């Protein structure tokens, strides 16, 4: 698959200069969240097939890191898997940066376990209880008598922030719930996938585009009375899956010149087809 090819070279912090140097021309800088960095490279490779004179550099590092780069004026496009916070927007404006938010794709936060794990579904409340340390053994949710090993992205990750607010805190930012001290903070989505593949006790969360046939995606229910929904392009598009989110670009003001050309491509049918090929969800 398209995504799997990109994934092989895109683990952790990624810095890629694509297809030469454009005759010494300054590269378009795209700095992306860990969730979106593979998508950015796929978009860039396809864009440059018809725009070979526009060199592009793609860098990963987590939403917090790349939003800081936008604020500092060191990227043309910031890819984020969460919205900028009011204090970040305020700081950007103090630095002369006027963040423009552009919705470019959708995603479903996917809970993954090892296929050897007999648990196949959980409610959002059960997930919150696992990540806050209230539920510690798989037998408490219908599985084997084994300690649960919860995995999370690190705190600079937009996926971490989204999961904290929408799952751990049950959709209430002011809720007192926090990740338990025993939750293992992983440096990347790929690291979570690798740990789940090697441990039948582990549970982690990743963007839908990271799911392979080596993990089992859990069905999730909003509450005990709701239907359990498996994450997919179809269930995210229909708003059935309860842990869905928008994937975003931020630019300094309205895009112009090369930035506008790239954004227009991403939002075009061709760009949105790349979203689908990468196992994320198009906006249209």
């Amino acid at each position: 698959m398209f995504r799997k090819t990109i994934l092989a070279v895109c683990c952790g912090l990624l810095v890629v200069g694509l297809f030469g140097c454009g005759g010494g021309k300054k590269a378009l800088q795209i700095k992306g969240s860990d969730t979106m960095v593979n998508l950015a490279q796929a978009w860039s490779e396809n864009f440059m097939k018809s725009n070979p004179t526009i060199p592009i550099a793609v860098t990963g590092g987590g939403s917090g890191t790349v939003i800081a780069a936008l604020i500092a004026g060191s990227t043309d496009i910031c890819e984020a898997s969460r919205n900028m916070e009011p204090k970040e927007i305020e700081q950007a404006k103090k630095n002369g940066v006027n963040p423009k938010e552009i919705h470019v794709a959708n995603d479903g936060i996917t809970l993954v376990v090892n296929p050897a794990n007999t648990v196949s579904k959980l409610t959002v409340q059960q997930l919150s209880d696992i990540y806050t340390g209230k539920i510690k053994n798989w037998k408490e949710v219908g599985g084997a008598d084994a300690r649960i090993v919860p995995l999370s992205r690190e705190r600079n990750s937009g996926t971490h922030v989204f999961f904290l607010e929408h799952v751990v805190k049950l959709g209430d930012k002011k809720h007192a719930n926090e990740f338990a001290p025993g939750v293992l903070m992983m440096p990347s989505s790929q690291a979570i996938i690798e740990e789940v593949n090697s441990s039948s006790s582990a549970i982690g969360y990743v963007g839908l585009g990271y799911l392979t046939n080596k993990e089992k995606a859990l069905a999730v229910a909003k509450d005990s009375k709701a239907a359990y929904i498996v994450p997919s392009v179809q269930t995210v598009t229909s708003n059935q899956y309860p842990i869905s989110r928008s994937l975003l670009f931020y630019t300094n003001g309205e895009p112009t010149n090369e930035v506008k050309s790239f954004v227009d491509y991403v939002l075009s049918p061709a760009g949105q087809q790349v979203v689908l090929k990468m196992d994320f969800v198009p906006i249209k």
Side-chain angles (χ1 to χ4, degrees), residues 52-68:
T53 63
I54 303 178
I56 300 175
V58 178
T59 311
S63 291
T65 300
V66 300
I67 287 173

